Amino acid sequence: MCGIVGAVAQRNVVPILLQGLQRLEYRGYDSAGLVVVHDKQLQRARSTGRVADLTLKSADISGHLGIAHTRWATHGVPSERNAHPHMSNASIAVVHNGIIENYEELRTRLTAQGYVFTSDTDTEVIAHLVHSHYKNGATLLAATQASLAELVGAYAIGVVAADNPAQLICSRKGSPLLLGVGKHENFIASDMSALLAVTKNVVYLEEGDVAEIGLDAYKVFDARGKPVTRPVQISELTNDSVELGEYKHYMLKEIFEQPQALANTLEAVCNSQSLIPGIFGAEASAAFAKIDSILILACGTSHNSGLVARNWLEEIAGIPCNVEIASEYRYRTSVSNPNTLIVTISQSGETADTLAALNHAKAVGHAHTLAICNVPESAIIRQSSLRFLTRAGPEIGVASTKAFTTQLAGLFLLTLVLAKLRGKLSQQQEQQHLHDLRHLPSAVQAVLKLEPAIKKLAENFANKHHALFLGRGLHYPIALEGALKLKEISYIHAEAYPAGELKHGPLALVDKDMPVIAVAPNDTLLEKLKSNLQEVRARGGELFVFADANTKIQSSEGVHVMQMPEHAGFLSPILHTIPLQLLAYYVALQKGTDVDKPRNLAKSVTVE
Ligand code: M6R
């Protein structure tokens, strides 16, 4: 979603801003722009193309203070006039992520005061509001603080004034923003990847913080305006982790990073002889002792990992578990149980719906909250009492891959820890699970060897417009995830069903033009699944089956079987995810879509 970069330096900041925007491209955007302060004037360039177009457009611009933005349209179509930065009276410029909910009311008031609006965005009200205070003599900091007090909604903002050549004001509430601290230069950005070329020193702003940033110093004020100290941390992010290297797309790179990502995520556990609650935080033991049920809240792919986990938690740990789409839960009147553990799952840790669901859960009386997340210092991590960090490394491709499988690893650990605490896990079972987890990265590596065969298989989908995914039990959520991946990046309409549901409706869709992809592990539901596949074949549907060894499902006319390794027991969903990711990737290549930045989607969904 939208991205912000800002800089104040002794050198020209335009290259810094453009490089930062390039690094934020993965978040998804439809226009971009920047403003620099030069000779007491605001110089602005905006473009509806890629950041590369903005680079051309800003060739004649330079300055030592500037803010830049990639916009993902919410209010107003993607167009140059709606692209940020927005300005007021050639004096104030603002970039903004998030949504200002009371913008219409503010717009009416500001229009009555004589302000002229040149865009359809909610952001422009911020520029005029700041101007209205600044022109009356307030400092830029005070003018921004006074404006923020009038806003309802979520924001991360950067503000500069034409007559203030070395000062940048920024603030965050509900959208991510951090400070990068350099030598005689300082920066702001939506995430650290934008600043890797200029600094590794990072200050994470808290909710409601406002910062005043100069060349040699910065001050942070909390939501009530009190000066506060936020620690400077050294970012562990490296340039390599956010660069493509030998790969054509980030998605493929990230699929192939899964063995390492899983090894990193499981490191602490695999090096120890037993499972301890402490891996979820210091207070986990006490909290886990009090809980009698689990409610998982998440969106998209992260929701799918929750659906797998429900099966594990109920079967292995014997604990009741519900899984809800975060955006539904937050607006539903639900019956809360204070002994329920709320588990939020999020790659980015900034998803607005998941964050709002977490806050709703807390507001209705849930004290025990656990975040399973890939981004340390993200809002979801900071606002939860317990946490588990997946160590997948930065995920740049919009389609989530390694974040999903590492979430599953984290959720499996949660299952085992709770099972142990509840007396459902013998020592021998614990050792067996630890053994299987240690083996997991190499098992994933073995599945990745199917890549050439899956690439070939993908050719069958080049002319398809629809696809059905089938799975059962623990693997139904994997079918859902396979369908989500395919539709997201290849734009083929794909649906997933529990295979037993086929005859209750979707079978009507099956004919020779409807490819049916089946996840076929060698588990207790195999024979039932085989019957469901017969139902498809009998109607002329073409089957693509990912089958474990020993399932005795053979390729034949209209049946393409991709042989998986031995059945991996409870960890099988992780292995069965891999070929579906590769299938989606190679079908998207066939279709010629923008794999890493699919249309209309954003990586980090920071608006509702
Ligand atoms: O960052 P999150 O895990 O909270 O994001 C949730 C969804 O937006 C995300 O998983 C989305 O469904 C993926 N792009 C799917 O590949």
Side-chain angles (χ1 to χ4, degrees):
M1 215 139 256
C2 306
I4 289 177
V5 192
V8 49
Q10 286 172 336
R11 50 180 164 156
N12 177 17
V13 296
V14 171
I16 299 172
L17 298 178
L18 289 169
Q19 190 183 28
L21 288 188
Q22 244 159 24
R23 282 277 163 83
L24 295 180
E25 280 191 302
Y26 78 94
R27 295 168 71 90
Y29 71 106
D30 38 50
S31 57
L34 61 81
V35 121
V36 289
V37 177
H38 185 90
D39 280 347
K40 298 211 163 185
Q41 283 187 347
L42 296 176
Q43 296 187 336
R44 177 168 68 175
R46 295 185 291 177
S47 160
T48 48
R50 313 305 290 173
V51 172
D53 300 314
L54 182 68
T55 306
L56 293 175
K57 285 194 160 185
S58 40
D60 299 332
I61 295 179
S62 69
H64 297 177
L65 168 68
I67 47 179
H69 190 261
T70 46
R71 172 175 187 255
W72 189 83
T74 56
H75 295 69
V77 296
S79 65
E80 202 166 305
R81 63 190 281 277
N82 286 333
H84 299 210
H86 288 288
M87 288 171 32
S88 181
N89 291 284
S91 156
I92 298 290
V94 171
V95 287
H96 162 229
N97 292 355
I99 289 179
I100 304 305
E101 288 167 18
N102 60 336
Y103 85 101
E104 276 170 332
E105 169 195 329
L106 292 169
R107 191 175 170 122
T108 308
R109 197 184 85 203
L110 288 159
T111 305
Q113 287 171 16
Y115 283 101
V116 177
F117 282 79
T118 57
S119 79
D120 309 315
T121 66
D122 51 338
T123 303
E124 200 178 347
V125 299
I126 308 176
H128 293 315
L129 265 181
V130 174
H131 180 268
S132 68
H133 296 289
Y134 194 60
K135 77 171 175 8
N136 290 334
T139 62
L140 191 56
L141 173 69
T144 306
Q145 284 169 318
S147 305
L148 295 178
E150 297 184 64
L151 302 182
V152 176
Y155 52 78
I157 58 163
V159 184
V160 294
D163 61 356
N164 211 339
Q167 193 179 60
L168 169 53
I169 307 292
C170 70
S171 177
R172 66 152 296 199
K173 187 179 158 207
S175 289
L177 195 72
L178 50 81
L179 309 189
V181 183
K183 261 196 185 148
H184 310 301
E185 54 186 20
N186 290 307
F187 314 92
I188 61 171
S190 298
D191 74 52
M192 197 54 201
S193 61
L195 300 182
L196 280 180
V198 285
T199 185
K200 289 214 131 200
N201 301 329
V202 55
V203 175
Y204 293 101
L205 295 178
E206 304 262 326
E207 279 291 282
D209 279 356
V210 181
E212 181 184 60
I213 301 157
L215 276 173
D216 292 307
Y218 64 88
K219 289 183 200 152
V220 182
F221 304 87
D222 68 11
R224 285 171 302 160
K226 225 176 81 205
V228 281
T229 307
R230 305 284 181 224
V232 180
Q233 304 184 24
I234 311 295
S235 170
E236 285 179 10
L237 211 59
T238 60
N239 262 319
D240 283 357
S241 60
V242 293
E243 261 157 27
L244 261 180
E246 70 197 73
Y247 291 93
K248 192 167 175 199
H249 293 102
Y250 281 106
M251 182 179 177
L252 192 63
K253 176 177 184 248
E254 287 156 8
I255 290 173
F256 275 86
E257 281 173 349
Q258 288 177 106
Q260 190 59 52
L262 284 163
N264 292 345
T265 301
L266 294 167
E267 190 182 334
V269 180
C270 291
N271 289 341
S272 87
Q273 290 311 307
S274 66
L275 290 153
I276 48 158
I279 54 174
F280 296 97
E283 306 89 49
S285 259
F288 289 170
K290 291 186 197 138
I291 60 159
D292 62 15
S293 55
I294 291 186
L295 173 58
I296 296 178
L297 302 170
C299 307
T301 286
S302 298
H303 179 257
N304 290 340
S305 71
L307 292 174
V308 175
R310 176 172 59 188
N311 290 277
W312 286 335
L313 285 159
E314 298 212 340
E315 185 172 346
I316 304 173
I319 187 161
C321 176
N322 274 316
V323 188
E324 277 205 56
I325 298 270
S327 55
E328 287 294 304
Y329 170 75
R330 62 181 290 198
Y331 290 117
R332 196 169 70 79
T333 306
S334 52
V335 180
S336 65
N337 164 8
N339 297 326
T340 296
L341 173 69
I342 299 293
V343 179
T344 52
I345 310 172
S346 174
Q347 184 285 130
S348 61
E350 302 289 349
T351 301
D353 288 323
T354 310
L355 200 50
L358 169 63
N359 288 325
H360 177 71
K362 291 203 275 189
V364 297
H366 291 286
H368 308 301
T369 55
L370 164 66
I372 297 196
C373 182
N374 196 38
V375 180
E377 294 302 328
S378 61
I380 285 173
I381 285 276
R382 280 183 283 122
Q383 292 176 33
S384 302
S385 51
L386 306 174
R387 57 202 64 94
F388 180 86
L389 258 189
T390 51
R391 292 174 58 202
E395 193 181 67
I396 310 285
V398 165
S400 195
T401 53
K402 59 179 180 169
F404 178 68
T405 45
T406 53
Q407 285 168 355
L408 288 177
L411 289 160
F412 193 66
L413 293 178
L414 176 66
T415 305
L416 297 184
V417 165
L418 290 174
K420 191 172 169 182
L421 288 175
R422 295 163 71 84
K424 306 268 182 195
L425 202 66
S426 68
Q427 217 183 3
Q428 197 192 350
Q429 285 168 322
E430 178 180 0
Q431 291 312 313
Q432 183 60 49
H433 287 306
L434 282 173
H435 170 273
D436 293 348
L437 283 168
R438 285 187 196 112
H439 176 62
L440 185 61
S442 55
V444 170
Q445 194 74 59
V447 180
L448 285 167
K449 296 217 167 79
L450 292 175
E451 185 204 15
I454 294 172
K455 187 173 176 181
K456 187 99 194 63
L457 195 75
E459 290 168 14
N460 292 287
F461 290 77
N463 303 317
K464 301 291 186 218
H465 300 289
H466 306 275
L468 265 187
F469 284 71
L470 301 179
R472 292 199 77 139
L474 205 50
H475 294 78
Y476 164 53
I478 301 308
L480 282 170
E481 177 59 10
L484 178 58
K485 287 290 91 90
L486 188 69
K487 76 179 101 173
E488 183 178 25
I489 60 166
S490 76
Y491 315 150
I492 290 179
H493 169 228
E495 297 294 337
Y497 280 92
E501 268 294 291
L502 209 51
K503 55 191 170 298
H504 298 291
L507 201 52
L509 295 171
V510 173
D511 63 11
K512 65 177 177 27
D513 294 323
M514 174 67 86
V516 178
I517 297 111
V519 183
N522 194 3
D523 64 8
T524 51
L525 290 167
L526 179 66
E527 292 311 316
K528 304 276 173 211
L529 179 78
K530 280 183 178 173
S531 309
N532 303 139
L533 299 187
Q534 290 300 333
E535 293 161 11
V536 172
R537 238 357 250 143
R539 272 99 193 152
E542 194 172 8
L543 279 167
F544 297 84
V545 188
F546 293 90
D548 284 353
N550 300 330
T551 52
K552 299 200 176 90
I553 304 177
Q554 305 288 346
S555 289
S556 56
E557 202 195 329
V559 184
H560 311 259
V561 178
M562 191 63 57
Q563 207 67 53
M564 297 279 290
E566 293 296 318
H567 181 52
F570 283 114
L571 295 177
S572 170
I574 298 180
L575 298 193
H576 270 275
T577 300
I578 313 293
L580 301 187
Q581 295 171 341
L582 286 167
L583 181 68
Y585 174 76
Y586 280 110
V587 173
L589 275 198
Q590 292 278 330
K591 294 260 175 194
T593 56
D594 190 346
V595 174
D596 285 332
K597 300 184 206 86
R599 67 185 180 204
N600 307 337
L601 297 181
K603 181 69 185 164
S604 191
V605 188
T606 51
V607 297
E608 189 181 341

Short mmCIF file of all heavy atoms in Angstrom, two decimals, residues 298-303 345-351 354 380 395 397-401 403 407 481 484-485 488 601-605, ligand 1:
data_model
loop_
_atom_site.label_atom_id
_atom_site.label_comp_id
_atom_site.label_asym_id
_atom_site.label_seq_id
_atom_site.Cartn_x
_atom_site.Cartn_y
_atom_site.Cartn_z
N ALA A 298 -7.32 -13.10 11.29
CA ALA A 298 -6.34 -12.80 10.24
C ALA A 298 -7.06 -12.56 8.92
O ALA A 298 -8.27 -12.70 8.83
CB ALA A 298 -5.35 -13.96 10.10
N CYS A 299 -6.28 -12.18 7.90
CA CYS A 299 -6.84 -11.93 6.56
C CYS A 299 -6.06 -12.74 5.52
O CYS A 299 -4.86 -12.98 5.70
CB CYS A 299 -6.68 -10.47 6.17
SG CYS A 299 -7.32 -9.32 7.37
N GLY A 300 -6.71 -13.04 4.42
CA GLY A 300 -6.05 -13.61 3.24
C GLY A 300 -5.26 -14.87 3.56
O GLY A 300 -5.74 -15.80 4.22
N THR A 301 -4.04 -14.89 3.07
CA THR A 301 -3.16 -16.04 3.29
C THR A 301 -2.97 -16.34 4.77
O THR A 301 -2.96 -17.50 5.18
CB THR A 301 -1.80 -15.75 2.61
OG1 THR A 301 -1.99 -15.89 1.20
CG2 THR A 301 -0.73 -16.68 3.06
N SER A 302 -2.85 -15.29 5.57
CA SER A 302 -2.65 -15.50 7.00
C SER A 302 -3.87 -16.19 7.61
O SER A 302 -3.76 -16.99 8.54
CB SER A 302 -2.38 -14.17 7.70
OG SER A 302 -1.19 -13.61 7.19
N HIS A 303 -5.06 -15.88 7.09
CA HIS A 303 -6.28 -16.54 7.55
C HIS A 303 -6.21 -18.03 7.19
O HIS A 303 -6.60 -18.89 7.98
CB HIS A 303 -7.50 -15.86 6.91
CG HIS A 303 -8.81 -16.47 7.30
ND1 HIS A 303 -9.50 -17.31 6.46
CD2 HIS A 303 -9.54 -16.40 8.44
CE1 HIS A 303 -10.62 -17.72 7.06
NE2 HIS A 303 -10.66 -17.17 8.27
N ILE A 345 -2.58 -13.33 13.17
CA ILE A 345 -1.51 -13.79 12.27
C ILE A 345 -1.37 -12.76 11.17
O ILE A 345 -2.37 -12.38 10.54
CB ILE A 345 -1.85 -15.16 11.65
CG1 ILE A 345 -2.28 -16.16 12.73
CG2 ILE A 345 -0.67 -15.70 10.86
CD1 ILE A 345 -2.82 -17.47 12.17
N SER A 346 -0.15 -12.31 10.94
CA SER A 346 0.05 -11.30 9.90
C SER A 346 1.50 -11.29 9.45
O SER A 346 2.41 -11.27 10.29
CB SER A 346 -0.33 -9.91 10.45
OG SER A 346 -0.02 -8.92 9.51
N GLN A 347 1.70 -11.33 8.16
CA GLN A 347 3.07 -11.20 7.65
C GLN A 347 3.61 -9.82 8.00
O GLN A 347 4.68 -9.69 8.59
CB GLN A 347 3.06 -11.40 6.13
CG GLN A 347 4.43 -11.40 5.45
CD GLN A 347 5.07 -10.03 5.29
OE1 GLN A 347 6.24 -9.85 5.66
NE2 GLN A 347 4.35 -9.07 4.78
N SER A 348 2.86 -8.78 7.62
CA SER A 348 3.35 -7.41 7.74
C SER A 348 3.24 -6.86 9.15
O SER A 348 4.00 -5.98 9.55
CB SER A 348 2.54 -6.50 6.82
OG SER A 348 1.17 -6.53 7.22
N GLY A 349 2.26 -7.34 9.89
CA GLY A 349 2.01 -6.79 11.23
C GLY A 349 1.38 -5.42 11.19
O GLY A 349 1.25 -4.75 12.22
N GLU A 350 0.98 -4.98 9.99
CA GLU A 350 0.39 -3.65 9.86
C GLU A 350 -0.98 -3.69 9.20
O GLU A 350 -1.55 -2.64 8.92
CB GLU A 350 1.30 -2.71 9.04
CG GLU A 350 2.71 -2.53 9.59
CD GLU A 350 2.77 -1.69 10.87
OE1 GLU A 350 1.75 -1.08 11.24
OE2 GLU A 350 3.84 -1.69 11.50
N THR A 351 -1.50 -4.86 8.90
CA THR A 351 -2.78 -4.97 8.21
C THR A 351 -3.88 -4.31 9.04
O THR A 351 -4.14 -4.72 10.18
CB THR A 351 -3.10 -6.45 7.94
OG1 THR A 351 -2.05 -6.97 7.14
CG2 THR A 351 -4.43 -6.63 7.23
N THR A 354 -6.66 -6.52 10.59
CA THR A 354 -6.22 -7.41 11.66
C THR A 354 -5.92 -6.61 12.93
O THR A 354 -6.27 -7.02 14.05
CB THR A 354 -4.98 -8.22 11.21
OG1 THR A 354 -5.28 -8.80 9.94
CG2 THR A 354 -4.63 -9.31 12.19
N ILE A 380 1.18 -4.82 15.19
CA ILE A 380 0.50 -6.00 15.76
C ILE A 380 1.39 -6.66 16.82
O ILE A 380 0.91 -7.09 17.87
CB ILE A 380 0.10 -6.97 14.62
CG1 ILE A 380 -1.12 -6.37 13.90
CG2 ILE A 380 -0.20 -8.37 15.14
CD1 ILE A 380 -1.57 -7.09 12.65
N GLU A 395 9.56 -10.17 2.86
CA GLU A 395 8.79 -10.76 1.76
C GLU A 395 8.33 -9.61 0.88
O GLU A 395 7.55 -8.77 1.30
CB GLU A 395 7.61 -11.56 2.30
CG GLU A 395 6.98 -12.44 1.23
CD GLU A 395 5.79 -13.23 1.76
OE1 GLU A 395 4.77 -12.58 2.09
OE2 GLU A 395 5.88 -14.45 1.84
N GLY A 397 7.42 -9.94 -2.77
CA GLY A 397 6.34 -10.30 -3.70
C GLY A 397 5.00 -10.12 -2.99
O GLY A 397 4.87 -10.50 -1.82
N VAL A 398 4.03 -9.56 -3.71
CA VAL A 398 2.71 -9.36 -3.08
C VAL A 398 2.11 -10.70 -2.65
O VAL A 398 1.49 -10.81 -1.60
CB VAL A 398 1.78 -8.58 -4.03
CG1 VAL A 398 0.33 -8.68 -3.59
CG2 VAL A 398 2.20 -7.11 -4.08
N ALA A 399 2.31 -11.71 -3.47
CA ALA A 399 1.77 -13.03 -3.11
C ALA A 399 2.60 -13.62 -1.97
O ALA A 399 3.81 -13.79 -2.10
CB ALA A 399 1.81 -13.95 -4.32
N SER A 400 1.95 -13.90 -0.89
CA SER A 400 2.66 -14.38 0.29
C SER A 400 3.04 -15.85 0.13
O SER A 400 2.20 -16.67 -0.22
CB SER A 400 1.73 -14.20 1.49
OG SER A 400 2.45 -14.31 2.67
N THR A 401 4.30 -16.18 0.33
CA THR A 401 4.76 -17.57 0.17
C THR A 401 5.49 -18.04 1.42
O THR A 401 4.95 -18.77 2.24
CB THR A 401 5.67 -17.70 -1.07
OG1 THR A 401 6.71 -16.71 -0.97
CG2 THR A 401 4.89 -17.51 -2.35
N ALA A 403 6.16 -16.41 4.01
CA ALA A 403 5.51 -15.96 5.25
C ALA A 403 4.47 -16.99 5.68
O ALA A 403 4.33 -17.29 6.86
CB ALA A 403 4.84 -14.61 5.05
N GLN A 407 4.53 -19.13 9.06
CA GLN A 407 3.40 -18.98 10.00
C GLN A 407 2.93 -20.36 10.45
O GLN A 407 2.66 -20.60 11.63
CB GLN A 407 2.22 -18.27 9.33
CG GLN A 407 2.40 -16.78 9.14
CD GLN A 407 1.35 -16.18 8.20
OE1 GLN A 407 0.53 -16.88 7.60
NE2 GLN A 407 1.38 -14.87 8.07
N GLU A 481 -5.53 -21.87 -0.19
CA GLU A 481 -4.32 -21.07 -0.41
C GLU A 481 -3.85 -21.21 -1.87
O GLU A 481 -3.44 -20.22 -2.49
CB GLU A 481 -3.23 -21.52 0.59
CG GLU A 481 -1.88 -20.85 0.45
CD GLU A 481 -1.90 -19.34 0.59
OE1 GLU A 481 -2.93 -18.77 0.99
OE2 GLU A 481 -0.88 -18.71 0.27
N LEU A 484 -6.12 -19.04 -3.91
CA LEU A 484 -5.81 -17.62 -3.70
C LEU A 484 -4.57 -17.21 -4.49
O LEU A 484 -4.54 -16.17 -5.15
CB LEU A 484 -5.62 -17.35 -2.19
CG LEU A 484 -5.25 -15.93 -1.78
CD1 LEU A 484 -6.28 -14.92 -2.26
CD2 LEU A 484 -5.10 -15.81 -0.26
N LYS A 485 -3.53 -18.07 -4.43
CA LYS A 485 -2.29 -17.75 -5.16
C LYS A 485 -2.57 -17.64 -6.65
O LYS A 485 -2.12 -16.71 -7.31
CB LYS A 485 -1.21 -18.82 -4.94
CG LYS A 485 -0.53 -18.86 -3.61
CD LYS A 485 0.40 -17.72 -3.30
CE LYS A 485 -0.34 -16.63 -2.60
NZ LYS A 485 -0.40 -16.68 -1.17
N GLU A 488 -4.74 -14.55 -7.56
CA GLU A 488 -4.04 -13.30 -7.23
C GLU A 488 -3.02 -12.90 -8.29
O GLU A 488 -2.92 -11.74 -8.65
CB GLU A 488 -3.36 -13.52 -5.87
CG GLU A 488 -2.63 -12.35 -5.30
CD GLU A 488 -2.04 -12.69 -3.94
OE1 GLU A 488 -1.78 -13.87 -3.66
OE2 GLU A 488 -1.82 -11.75 -3.16
N LEU A 601 -3.64 -4.87 -6.23
CA LEU A 601 -3.31 -5.38 -4.89
C LEU A 601 -2.12 -4.66 -4.30
O LEU A 601 -1.32 -4.06 -5.01
CB LEU A 601 -3.00 -6.88 -4.97
CG LEU A 601 -4.14 -7.77 -5.43
CD1 LEU A 601 -3.71 -9.22 -5.44
CD2 LEU A 601 -5.37 -7.60 -4.53
N ALA A 602 -2.03 -4.71 -2.99
CA ALA A 602 -0.90 -4.10 -2.29
C ALA A 602 -0.32 -5.11 -1.33
O ALA A 602 -1.00 -6.03 -0.88
CB ALA A 602 -1.38 -2.88 -1.52
N LYS A 603 0.94 -4.97 -1.02
CA LYS A 603 1.60 -5.91 -0.12
C LYS A 603 1.14 -5.71 1.31
O LYS A 603 0.85 -6.65 2.03
CB LYS A 603 3.12 -5.73 -0.21
CG LYS A 603 3.91 -6.68 0.67
CD LYS A 603 3.77 -8.09 0.16
CE LYS A 603 4.43 -9.11 1.06
NZ LYS A 603 3.97 -10.48 0.75
N SER A 604 1.11 -4.46 1.71
CA SER A 604 0.82 -4.17 3.10
C SER A 604 -0.49 -3.39 3.11
O SER A 604 -0.54 -2.26 2.64
CB SER A 604 1.99 -3.35 3.63
OG SER A 604 1.92 -3.23 4.98
N VAL A 605 -1.57 -4.02 3.59
CA VAL A 605 -2.89 -3.41 3.43
C VAL A 605 -3.22 -2.57 4.67
O VAL A 605 -3.88 -3.03 5.59
CB VAL A 605 -3.97 -4.48 3.13
CG1 VAL A 605 -5.29 -3.83 2.78
CG2 VAL A 605 -3.51 -5.36 1.98
O1 M6R B 1 0.37 -8.88 6.14
P1 M6R B 1 -0.79 -9.80 6.36
O2 M6R B 1 -0.37 -11.23 6.48
O3 M6R B 1 -1.66 -9.38 7.50
O4 M6R B 1 -1.66 -9.68 5.03
C1 M6R B 1 -2.91 -10.31 4.92
C2 M6R B 1 -3.33 -10.43 3.48
O5 M6R B 1 -3.48 -9.17 2.91
C3 M6R B 1 -2.29 -11.22 2.65
O6 M6R B 1 -2.02 -12.46 3.22
C4 M6R B 1 -2.78 -11.41 1.21
O7 M6R B 1 -3.89 -12.25 1.19
C5 M6R B 1 -1.64 -11.99 0.36
N1 M6R B 1 -1.25 -11.04 -0.64
C6 M6R B 1 -1.98 -13.24 -0.35
O8 M6R B 1 -0.90 -13.74 -1.07
#
